[in-house]
Amino acid sequence: MIQTIEKQTGKAFKLKKGEILRVIDPVGEQVSDMVLFNAQDSREKISAGKTMDFENTILITKGHHLWSNRSRKMVDILEDTNGRNDFLLAPCSPETFQILYDNPEYHPSCFENLYTNLAEYGIQPDDIPTAFNIFMNVQFGLDGELSVDPPQSKAGDYVLFEAKMDLIVGLTACSAEQSNNFIFKPIQFEILRK
Ligand SMILES: [Zn+2]
């Protein structure tokens, strides 16, 4: 059953070892931030640094794993029809909009949508790590300068993740203007059992 994460919101759910999570961009040009925790011990969580260590690249896609802070495989990326994701930038937060975009007003954010939905699993705001930013198109120059560009994902693009351990998953439809080409759209997902 395909479930929808409405624009600028998030969801949290369990994914058992061996199950496959399909994350879909139903409209196109929409980023989804994903965080993963070990369902038995949420101190073990997704790690951008460990993933780049073991996969030896900053461009994570089909054929790679997402690794934990305890150097264990959390998911295997089975398919990635778009192929561009980001694992450098933190989830957008209230401060992102204040500091980076000079916006003092309330603004929805992935950070808030992750920690509020993950609270039922005992996960606190300070526990939220750098997310795997599905469909996010961060380009970088030879000098290291970053540029957040419109996602290259088209309607129907998806990524398949196979769980290598029992997981708690936090997933959003990202709330940052620049990351989503200035239009907020939903994200969809489904859990496939073998
Ligand atoms: Zn975001």
Side-chain angles (χ1 to χ4, degrees), residues 95-125:
E95 296 78 12
T96 308
F97 301 100
Q98 293 161 14
I99 296 169
L100 209 53
Y101 301 118
D102 205 20
N103 175 5
E105 306 297 318
Y106 172 78
H107 195 297
S109 66
C110 287
F111 183 70
E112 182 184 10
N113 287 327
L114 289 169
Y115 80 72
T116 53
N117 283 285
L118 286 161
E120 66 173 293
Y121 298 106
I123 291 161
Q124 311 272 325

Side-chain angles (χ1 to χ4, degrees), residues 31 33 90-93 97 108-111 133 136 172-176 179-180:
V31 169
D33 282 23
C92 61
S93 66
F97 301 100
S109 66
C110 287
F111 183 70
N133 303 309
M136 190 176 189
T172 71
C174 177
S175 296
S179 302
N180 301 290

Side-chain angles (χ1 to χ4, degrees), residues 51 55 60-61 63-67 73-77 164:
T51 299
E55 300 299 343
I60 303 299
T61 182
H64 297 137
H65 294 84
L66 301 180
W67 295 74
K73 292 173 179 174
M74 300 192 93
V75 295
D76 183 1
I77 304 180
K164 308 306 279 185

Side-chain angles (χ1 to χ4, degrees), residues 125-143:
D126 282 341
D127 298 330
I128 303 294
T130 296
F132 184 61
N133 303 309
I134 305 163
F135 309 121
M136 190 176 189
N137 181 16
V138 177
Q139 298 287 335
F140 34 87
L142 286 175
D143 62 356

Side-chain angles (χ1 to χ4, degrees), residues 46-60 64-68 85-89 130-133 140:
I46 190 172
S47 167
K50 288 297 179 192
T51 299
M52 291 181 215
D53 275 354
F54 297 127
E55 300 299 343
N56 203 32
T57 175
I58 58 176
L59 295 175
I60 303 299
H64 297 137
H65 294 84
L66 301 180
W67 295 74
S68 77
N85 309 290
D86 171 69
F87 212 177
L88 296 172
L89 301 188
T130 296
F132 184 61
N133 303 309
F140 34 87

